[in-house]
Amino acid sequence: MKNNKIIIANWKMKLSLAESLDLARAVKEKFKDFSGGQVAVCPNFISLKEVGDILKGSPVKLGAQNVFWEESGAYTGEISPRQILEAGCSYVIIGHSERRKYLNVNYEMIHKTIKTVLSFPDLVPVVCVGENWDERKTDRRDYVLFDQVQQALSGLNIPGEQKIIIAYEPIWAIGSGTAIEPAEAEYAHKIIRITLNDMFGLKVVSNNFSVIYGGSINSHNVKGFTGLEDIQGLLVGGAGLDAEEFFQVAKSVASGKEED
Ligand code: PEP
């Protein structure tokens, strides 16, 4: 288990170019000897290339926060999988809830984007799913997760070696400062995994898919999320904006216990 955990930081639209480069340098330094799992940071588009250049030779990989479903063409304001690959990306977040909320991104668009990304073997999609507070409060979470995973992935052919990360992010926990109970996250991960098993079969799911949690994780609460079989890593927002905090979270995940 130890070395296959995944820790991804989403820097959102929070940093200037100069701040992104400073953080990239600090992250590179902190993680220089890290071997406890896959680590990536997702800066804004204008910082991607330069952050990627800084991270060369580091175990920390580069990810993009979004990508378009067409490979090229007249799509003003969009960015293609090939372009983010050129910038050095290995990961791309697809369907983050902030894009679903503010930009009306829906699971039909998410499905088309995943389909395109799957034709680029060097790019790992990080597909976000998660219920909102109303859905959770009214006991619709399980169905919502089942439905989102189905809409995002049904009918897709998963190439043999292609990795796909599903990020379970309960919308009501993101940016709230309070993560959900680890047992509740674990249960949601099971729902996602059962859905994936039904769709793709156990073998493909265990070879190709990882399910990670995101929502207000920090170095203090990460302990509850480590060492859980169904939670294969974390997507962090706020905790990824400070190199030391991000490192402490990653170390905890990698070692399966909280660092003091
Ligand atoms: C996110 O936006 O994906 C996220 C997990 O943010 P935070 O950790 O700040 O809740």
Side-chain angles (χ1 to χ4, degrees), residues 69 71 94 109-120 125 152-157 159:
W69 59 78
E71 291 192 27
I94 299 176
M109 294 151 91
I110 292 169
H111 178 88
K112 286 199 280 190
T113 309
I114 301 167
K115 188 172 180 187
T116 305
V117 167
L118 291 181
S119 63
F120 291 87
L153 296 166
S154 62
L156 294 183
N157 177 40

Side-chain angles (χ1 to χ4, degrees), residues 25-59:
R25 286 185 202 101
V27 166
K28 182 178 186 179
E29 176 59 24
K30 280 273 162 214
F31 283 81
K32 61 179 190 281
D33 299 320
F34 188 80
S35 61
Q38 303 169 51
V39 182
V41 296
C42 304
N44 60 44
F45 285 139
I46 61 146
S47 312
L48 271 182
K49 175 79 176 72
E50 284 180 72
V51 168
D53 288 344
I54 288 170
L55 293 177
K56 276 189 185 133
S58 155

